[in-house]
């Protein structure tokens, strides 16, 4: 069975880094997650099936590495590290844009992990519901319901200012 090469893998890295940053909430944890994902994917590259979507396969690997990190109690999320100055926005963006991105980043970190993952895959990475379903290993209906709940919770958090102390009391974590 043929495997992918370094050129194909390198083409996916910017999107992996962006997703890792959004998942973890800070640059160092995102770099670690991306590196761990690339190492895992390279060592398991013969498991990838030619003709399938390499990007989706890489995001599945990243999702699994991220979940394994959480299960092993390795800290990967730091809510304190997200700030308006640290949004990763391109230079030349306005101050308003930076503030909005900072608020969005903080609000995303307050979402339950399963909602945040779906929002990032579908909204940021433009995965289809079916692709997100494959990456996360859940049914398409679950992707759709998590996306709906995540969008609504994100809207409420942004309206409330996105901080934990200002979070509406009626929001509770639902598994």
């Amino acid at each position: 069975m043929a495997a992918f090469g370094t050129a194909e893998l390198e083409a996916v890295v910017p999107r992996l880094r962006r997703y890792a940053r959004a998942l973890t909430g800070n640059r160092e944890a995102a770099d670690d997650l991306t590196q761990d994902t690339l190492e895992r994917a390279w060592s398991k590259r013969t498991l990838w099936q030619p003709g399938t979507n390499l990007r989706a396969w890489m995001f599945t690997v990243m999702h699994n590495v991220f979940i394994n990190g959480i299960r092993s109690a390795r800290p990967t999320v730091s809510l304190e590290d997200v700030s308006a100055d640290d949004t990763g926005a391109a230079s030349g963006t306005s101050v308003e844009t930076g503030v909005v991105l900072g608020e969005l980043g903080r609000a995303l970190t307050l979402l339950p992990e399963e909602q945040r993952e779906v929002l990032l895959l579908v909204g940021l990475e433009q995965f289809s519901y079916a692709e997100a379903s494959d990456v996360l290993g859940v049914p398409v209906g679950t992707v759709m319901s998590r996306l709906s709940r995540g969008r609504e919770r994100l809207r409420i958090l942004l309206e409330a200012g996105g901080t934990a102390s200002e979070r509406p009391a009626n929001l509770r974590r639902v598994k």
Side-chain angles (χ1 to χ4, degrees), residues 44-160:
K44 304 288 185 181
R45 67 186 178 275
T46 57
L47 297 177
W48 176 71
Q49 299 173 2
T52 61
N53 186 337
L54 177 62
R55 182 175 68 125
W57 186 77
M58 292 296 300
F59 274 77
T60 301
V61 172
M62 179 171 277
H63 171 77
N64 292 337
V65 169
F66 180 69
I67 296 300
N68 289 343
I70 289 172
R71 287 184 183 149
S72 67
R74 203 174 51 185
T76 55
V77 177
S78 174
L79 299 179
E80 296 80 30
D81 290 341
V82 178
S83 71
D85 297 332
D86 194 28
T87 61
S91 62
T93 58
S94 71
V95 172
E96 276 184 35
T97 301
V99 170
V100 169
L101 289 174
E103 290 173 3
L104 178 61
R106 281 187 293 279
L108 278 170
T109 62
L110 294 172
L111 291 177
E113 177 186 316
E114 55 275 351
Q115 291 175 6
R116 184 174 63 242
E117 289 173 337
V118 171
L119 271 170
L120 294 172
L121 287 173
V122 174
L124 180 67
E125 294 301 330
Q126 311 242 324
F127 276 64
S128 69
Y129 293 165
E131 289 172 326
S133 168
D134 289 342
V135 167
L136 299 173
V138 298
V140 172
T142 301
V143 167
M144 293 168 62
S145 65
R146 286 179 183 177
L147 183 62
S148 175
R149 288 192 313 265
R151 284 177 174 159
E152 178 62 16
R153 184 175 279 219
L154 186 61
R155 184 189 62 75
I156 291 169
L157 287 169
L158 288 171
E159 287 174 358

